[in-house]
Amino acid sequence: MSDATAIAATDPATGNARAPGDAVARADAYPHEHQFDNLAQQTDAARLGMWLFLATEVLFFGGLFGAYTAYRYVYYHAFAEASRELSVLFGTLDTAVLLTSSLTMALAVFTAQSTADSPAARRRSGRTIALLLLATAALGAGFLVLHGFEYYEDYQEHHFPGRTFFFPGAESGQVELFFIIYFCLTGLHSLHVLIGVVLLAVMAALSWKGRYYGGYHNPIEISGLYWHFVDMVWVFLFPLLYLIAPR
Amino acid sequence: MSAAPSTASQHAAETPRSTLVKNAVALFVLLGITVGANFLDLGSFNVVVALLIALIKAALIVLIFMEVRHRSPVLWMFVAAGFFWLLLMLMMTMADYSTRSALPPDWLHRTGRTNHVDFSVGRPAPAAPASR
Amino acid sequence: MIDLRENYLSKHTIRSWLLTIDHKRIGLLYLFTILIFFLIAAVAAGLMRLELLTPQGDLLLPETYNKMFTIHGVLMVWFFLIPSIPTVLGNFVLPLVLGARDVAFPKLNLLSWYLFILGGSFALYGVFAGGVDTGWTFYTPLSTTYANGHVMTMAAGVFIAGFSSILTGLNFIVTTHKMRAPGLTWMRLPLFVWALYATSLIMVLATPVLAITLLLMTVERFWGVGIFNPALGGDPLLFQHLFWFYSHPAVYIMILPGMGVVSELITCFSRKKVFGYSFIAFSSMAIAVLGFVVWGHHMFSTGQSAYAGMVFSFLSFLVSVPSAIKVFNWTATLYKGEITFSTPMLYALGFIGLFTLGGLTGLFLATLAADIHLTDTYFVVAHFHYVMVGGMVLAFMGGLHYWWPKITGRLYPEKAGQLAAMITFVGFNLTFFPQFLLGYLGMPRRYHAYPEEFQIFNVLSTAGASILAVGYLLPVVYLLWSLKNGQRAGENPWAATGLEWTTPSPPPEHNFDQTPVVTRPPYDYAYQSTFHPREVEQTLENV
């Protein structure tokens, strides 16, 4: 009896996996939370909820992107000058590390999704999933280390805004504005990476003994959505901060 | 993927492993292109090219890594909503910034204002820090 | 009719309240919390009104007065109005009207309350440790460079409460999408649900921008860098753009749920199918979306580009279209209805009148030229109080009375309710109508002293405020009284439609014994009356 077929019944009127009848749960391969009728409804709700959360994240970063856009428009040349101060090598490495971590994350989700529901398969896959998640977390930590080096370099070059900031020329204040936005954007992004690293480490521990398999892998998938999103934010930060002016 | 025997306890992943790997390769190729383009002088088009590539990369991540292409229209709607609302914010904010110094000539004549908004008040350049 | 079976209120331990994930209990936790904030903010307002009784600044120091209007603004906006209907009535009613056992993420719901408490604690600490004098808008560079006081504490409070708001909105959207009972299609949803859905959309998409804006302000204040400081190359208008990108839609967070409640009340107490269901439903969505592109009208008198000003002015006029659609549809629903003037209906009728006045004066302010004269005068104060208090607070009171029997299982005393509704209406108008005149005559807001020719209107306004206070306190008394002494309500005292009225009052912890199935269109009062013939009058006579 496959849960995939048992939960496929949706109410044509609402498009939801809720059926009339008593409130007692139908038999699922994996227990669902009390407020839902079945696992399919729970999975759908979790996905939608996560994407809504990511939409708020888009706008959370979006405020900073707005500030960036306005000042980039007003201080066009100063921003180009400031952007040239950043190291493309570091930026490229950052991006490569995060893109690789996205692949390992996607593979972890793939493994969970395609694991059969037998104790042996689940145990075997559990290890694979955990290792892939740990690899993802390690790459994330690597990104943070790389970024730490970058920040250190910025500090030494007097690019940290505030009292120690120095940039020769009349556009000093505007270049400083670029660096304020740079530090806010990358700082906020790094904070998200840090949260992701912790999250993935926890998920790795949870999946080690074969908790997640084809019939129930939602937490892995949701963590994956978060991680890919963090990656995607960097995909925009990289060109906007490092690549706006030709070298 | 090898053809799995269709027993009840088998589960198929929504996106095959090969697609995931190909997607990652495509992302790396795009990364190479965007870095390469940075060494060409395209004038203001450097940003356009860089952003265009970033958009393609983001689309690949969202559609394939995040598996949105397998999801319902409702989910597509909310994926789009975040970006659409960001666009609204940028557009309406820039409606102000991009027209601030462009008052109609007639208004300028009447109000005696100049057709230029001076944003250039910067912090005065401090003295060079003492060498370490 | 007496139903003494176990319900969601049966457990009495403190632990059972603080660790509950039941949406009904969380709604009550919110009710209790926001009333505390309302009380503090109302006291601040009372002190301001007392100061303004005389032209001289004799009661409060100027700084104290500034702190009072800041406290009043911050607490009323973020800790009363924004959470009011969504978190109390929305939390309680939404899963019930959808035929669900709970919201989609009950633990997130509880977390959201704790975040609210945490944010509220920061804000209260800011209030009692010395206060803030920036106004609720935290405009830079005042807030970052010149203001003393606990700006960062207050901003942290709002920041945290913002996340509570985001989580509530997220929960409601997913609940509406995924938890509807079989047969409950989108076009069968009660209009309150549509309003909550539109509100949640704003909460989810606008609030993060406020969070990042306050964060940037804090960074500027803490590190002394010039993100928004013109002396350091920043643009203070950027702060206003980002701030109002949230805060204008937030105004619709504060009115849309009220419109939803009123749609329920008007139909129920006219015993009629609502007029133009889909128009009311989609006008909620239209207001939510249009509300995002009008924020520049808060900045007409700043250095914003004149072209942008024209665009924002035009778009602001557009918002009046869906708002007017609602008002026309409500009045058309009343036409030839069997109207009962019970308490919730009185509040709803008050809402329609006051909201119309508040909305129309909004058009004056959306007009570029008129706004130059009216900006920062009492006209603005009167305008948004007509919408916020005349609209949202009346709708909140109406909704609270309407669902009170469902929440507590008891009826409130009807005569006292009607009296309170009328006192509130009179007190409100006496408080705020003179402020329209004051603003038109040019009295600026946010001053603790004023020229003598304005005194008569200020005296009227202060007198009205004291009547309004009676109108607020009276329900507290009789609602508490009704907890023990009210008549038992039965499951459907208003003979209303809607799934929440098909389960016992108070509802059992799991809401429904059987998953309900919906087969009828919404507000089918003609059909409803065949098996609930005028039960309303019977209950009213019994009081």
Side-chain angles (χ1 to χ4, degrees):
Chain A
M1 196 211 67
S2 155
D3 50 293
T5 53
I7 59 184
T10 52
D11 176 20
T14 58
N16 289 339
R18 294 197 72 184
D22 58 25
V24 178
R26 271 177 285 161
D28 275 328
Y30 196 90
H32 56 78
E33 290 178 33
H34 80 282
Q35 71 273 25
F36 296 110
D37 283 358
N38 53 55
L39 200 58
Q41 192 191 16
Q42 178 177 328
T43 308
D44 267 11
R47 274 184 193 142
L48 189 60
M50 191 60 197
W51 270 105
L52 273 165
F53 175 72
L54 294 184
T56 72
E57 287 275 32
V58 168
L59 282 142
F60 190 58
F61 281 99
L64 274 167
F65 279 115
Y68 172 91
T69 314
Y71 288 142
R72 162 70 174 157
Y73 178 82
V74 178
Y75 301 137
Y76 191 83
H77 293 290
F79 266 45
E81 278 308 304
S83 167
R84 286 206 188 89
E85 294 292 317
L86 298 177
S87 153
V88 178
L89 179 66
F90 264 130
T92 314
L93 277 178
D94 288 341
T95 318
V97 168
L98 277 190
L99 287 180
T100 317
S101 76
S102 252
L103 177 64
T104 51
M105 184 70 234
L107 289 175
V109 175
F110 167 85
T111 315
Q113 282 176 343
S114 50
T115 301
D117 187 9
S118 75
R122 281 172 69 165
R123 214 169 26 248
R124 200 167 51 242
S125 290
R127 307 248 159 103
T128 318
I129 297 168
L131 287 175
L132 281 166
L133 290 176
L134 283 178
T136 313
L139 285 164
F143 172 88
L144 290 176
V145 171
L146 265 177
H147 227 70
F149 280 122
E150 232 176 316
Y151 282 161
Y152 183 63
E153 201 181 284
D154 291 330
Y155 176 75
Q156 283 194 319
E157 290 172 5
H158 298 277
H159 289 156
F160 189 77
R163 221 165 291 157
T164 58
F165 184 82
F166 175 74
F167 190 82
E171 291 183 322
S172 162
Q174 302 159 13
V175 171
E176 187 179 1
L177 213 49
F178 174 88
F179 276 101
I180 296 170
I181 293 176
Y182 161 80
F183 274 103
C184 285
L185 271 171
T186 56
L188 202 63
H189 177 260
S190 295
L191 180 69
H192 279 79
V193 173
L194 184 65
I195 293 170
V197 168
V198 175
L199 173 76
L200 293 180
V202 172
M203 291 308 297
L206 285 177
S207 42
W208 185 260
K209 285 195 174 157
R211 182 190 178 103
Y212 305 114
Y213 67 106
Y216 178 70
H217 50 75
N218 207 23
I220 301 256
E221 193 189 316
I222 300 295
S223 321
L225 288 182
Y226 175 82
W227 189 259
H228 294 308
F229 172 79
V230 171
D231 183 21
M232 190 174 70
V233 171
W234 184 260
V235 161
F236 284 102
L237 289 187
F238 176 52
L240 287 177
L241 296 175
Y242 295 79
L243 304 180
I244 48 176
R247 307 265 158 182
Chain B
M1 258 175 50
S2 59
S6 60
T7 56
S9 62
Q10 284 295 324
H11 297 280
E14 284 173 298
T15 310
R17 185 186 280 143
S18 58
T19 311
L20 297 175
V21 174
K22 275 184 219 153
N23 192 39
V25 171
L27 286 170
F28 269 95
V29 170
L30 286 168
L31 172 62
I33 297 175
T34 194
V35 172
N38 190 233
F39 290 93
L40 305 174
D41 191 352
L42 306 173
S44 350
F45 279 89
N46 273 96
V47 186
V48 179
V49 170
L51 271 181
L52 213 61
I53 295 175
L55 277 173
I56 300 173
K57 279 157 87 178
L60 287 179
I61 293 176
V62 169
L63 292 178
I64 296 171
F65 278 164
M66 297 165 105
E67 302 193 303
V68 169
R69 65 196 174 125
H70 299 298
R71 301 287 172 256
S72 63
V74 171
L75 202 91
W76 278 78
M77 200 173 78
F78 283 106
V79 174
F83 296 99
F84 176 74
W85 255 263
L86 176 60
L87 203 67
L88 277 187
M89 179 175 76
L90 296 181
M91 262 171 43
M92 296 305 287
T93 309
M94 291 319 287
D96 171 21
Y97 282 92
S98 60
T99 57
R100 242 189 233 182
S101 53
L103 288 175
D106 190 37
W107 287 32
L108 290 174
H109 175 70
R110 272 191 244 156
T111 56
R113 286 164 68 179
T114 51
N115 206 343
H116 175 68
V117 176
D118 188 16
F119 278 105
S120 61
V121 212
R123 174 184 284 189
S131 56
R132 265 167 278 119
Chain C
M1 289 293 269
I2 294 176
D3 189 351
L4 289 175
R5 52 183 264 171
E6 207 165 273
N7 58 53
Y8 80 103
L9 294 168
S10 296
K11 286 183 205 143
H12 289 294
T13 59
I14 290 186
R15 185 191 155 85
S16 76
W17 279 93
L18 292 183
L19 293 180
T20 182
I21 52 168
D22 183 344
H23 66 101
K24 302 181 283 299
R25 284 183 163 223
I26 293 174
L28 292 188
L29 288 176
Y30 268 114
L31 175 64
F32 185 67
T33 324
I34 65 168
L35 287 183
I36 293 174
F37 288 114
F38 180 84
L39 185 71
I40 298 170
V43 167
L47 286 172
M48 284 191 283
R49 280 311 335 155
L50 272 182
E51 162 64 69
L52 293 172
L53 205 52
T54 57
Q56 303 80 25
D58 38 17
L59 180 65
L60 304 174
L61 294 169
E63 296 88 344
T64 319
Y65 184 82
N66 289 356
K67 284 174 182 170
M68 284 304 145
F69 69 64
T70 307
I71 289 168
H72 177 71
V74 170
L75 294 190
M76 278 296 190
V77 168
W78 282 297
F79 296 96
F80 177 73
L81 284 168
I82 286 182
S84 61
I85 289 185
T87 61
V88 178
L89 300 176
N91 253 329
F92 191 93
V93 172
L94 181 68
L96 284 170
V97 297
L98 294 182
R101 281 186 288 284
D102 207 322
V103 291
F105 310 114
K107 286 175 206 148
L108 217 55
N109 206 10
L110 183 64
L111 173 69
S112 151
W113 182 71
Y114 274 105
L115 284 175
F116 185 71
I117 292 289
L118 185 67
S121 312
F122 269 89
L124 285 185
Y125 174 78
V127 168
F128 289 113
V132 183
D133 58 356
T134 58
W136 75 279
T137 51
F138 295 111
Y139 269 15
T140 55
L142 171 63
S143 60
T144 51
T145 313
Y146 303 106
N148 297 312
H150 299 261
V151 177
M152 288 198 278
T153 318
M154 210 69 154
V158 173
F159 182 89
I160 298 167
F163 282 99
S164 151
S165 177
I166 289 175
L167 293 182
T168 302
L170 188 155
N171 227 333
F172 283 4
I173 291 179
V174 178
T175 307
T176 312
H177 270 286
K178 295 294 168 198
M179 312 292 277
R180 280 169 292 131
L184 190 54
T185 60
W186 282 90
M187 286 298 137
R188 285 178 182 171
L189 285 177
L191 289 164
F192 182 44
V193 177
W194 276 99
L196 279 179
Y197 185 80
T199 311
S200 307
L201 212 58
I202 304 177
M203 286 173 158
V204 165
L205 293 169
T207 319
V209 179
L210 173 75
I212 197 73
T213 311
L214 292 177
L215 204 64
L216 284 176
M217 185 205 78
T218 308
V219 166
E220 172 165 337
R221 189 175 165 91
F222 191 76
W223 269 284
V225 292
I227 307 172
F228 303 119
N229 188 346
L232 299 176
D235 180 15
L237 284 200
L238 182 66
F239 176 86
Q240 298 185 21
H241 275 302
L242 294 176
F243 179 82
W244 289 111
F245 179 83
Y246 162 77
S247 292
H248 192 77
V251 172
Y252 298 109
I253 300 181
M254 298 181 233
I255 191 66
L256 275 170
M259 293 169 157
V261 168
V262 167
S263 306
E264 300 292 312
L265 303 185
I266 294 285
T267 47
C268 176
F269 295 99
S270 311
R271 310 298 304 159
K272 241 184 96 192
K273 199 181 179 78
V274 71
F275 184 87
Y277 171 89
S278 54
F279 276 87
I280 299 188
F282 287 119
S283 63
S284 290
M285 300 304 289
I287 289 174
V289 176
L290 278 176
F292 272 94
V293 288
V294 301
W295 79 80
H297 65 218
H298 295 271
M299 300 162 64
F300 283 162
S301 61
T302 65
Q304 181 182 234
S305 129
Y307 284 120
M310 285 184 240
V311 174
F312 280 125
S313 170
F314 172 74
L315 290 169
S316 307
F317 276 100
L318 273 191
V319 182
S320 66
V321 175
S323 313
I325 284 177
K326 281 181 189 288
V327 173
F328 290 138
N329 280 315
W330 291 326
T331 36
T333 308
L334 291 171
Y335 180 65
K336 287 192 173 172
E338 287 176 56
I339 296 173
T340 340
F341 290 102
S342 50
T343 311
M345 185 62 157
L346 288 180
Y347 279 114
L349 293 174
F351 174 100
I352 296 181
L354 300 182
F355 171 75
T356 305
L357 210 55
L360 286 176
T361 49
L363 293 181
F364 296 23
L365 294 167
T367 314
L368 275 165
D371 185 65
I372 299 301
H373 172 64
L374 295 172
T375 287
D376 270 350
T377 66
Y378 267 85
F379 194 88
V380 179
V381 177
H383 153 68
F384 70 75
H385 279 89
Y386 262 77
V387 180
M388 304 286 91
V389 184
M392 190 65 160
V393 176
L394 288 204
F396 178 68
M397 294 304 288
L400 193 62
H401 282 84
Y402 179 63
W403 280 298
W404 189 256
K406 185 53 64 183
I407 296 172
T408 62
R410 306 275 187 167
L411 291 172
Y412 58 85
E414 184 61 38
K415 285 281 181 298
Q418 287 166 324
L419 183 67
M422 284 187 285
I423 291 177
T424 308
F425 185 80
V426 171
F428 172 83
N429 278 299
L430 189 56
T431 311
F432 291 104
F433 198 82
Q435 297 189 4
F436 276 128
L437 303 174
L438 278 174
Y440 173 74
L441 294 173
M443 177 166 163
R445 61 193 283 211
R446 295 183 165 168
Y447 282 87
H448 78 310
Y450 55 86
E452 273 178 23
E453 68 255 38
F454 294 137
Q455 189 172 13
I456 176 68
F457 296 116
N458 276 301
V459 170
L460 285 176
S461 186
T462 304
S466 44
I467 298 176
L468 192 56
V470 175
Y472 288 151
L473 288 174
L474 199 55
V476 176
V477 175
Y478 66 74
L479 287 181
L480 286 177
W481 175 87
S482 79
L483 285 179
K484 279 263 179 292
N485 309 301
Q487 198 193 349
R488 294 219 175 250
E491 67 181 31
N492 192 359
W494 312 118
T497 61
L499 289 179
E500 78 269 37
W501 302 108
T502 62
T503 192
S505 316
E509 205 177 332
H510 51 275
N511 292 352
F512 298 94
D513 293 337
Q514 291 214 321
T515 302
V517 181
V518 180
T519 53
R520 309 287 311 173
Y523 307 114
D524 201 354
Y525 278 103
Y527 177 76
Q528 180 83 348
S529 296
T530 57
F531 52 91
H532 278 299
R534 302 297 290 165
E535 207 176 299
V536 180
E537 278 176 9
Q538 293 164 17
T539 34
L540 290 183
E541 280 157 16
N542 287 341
V543 173

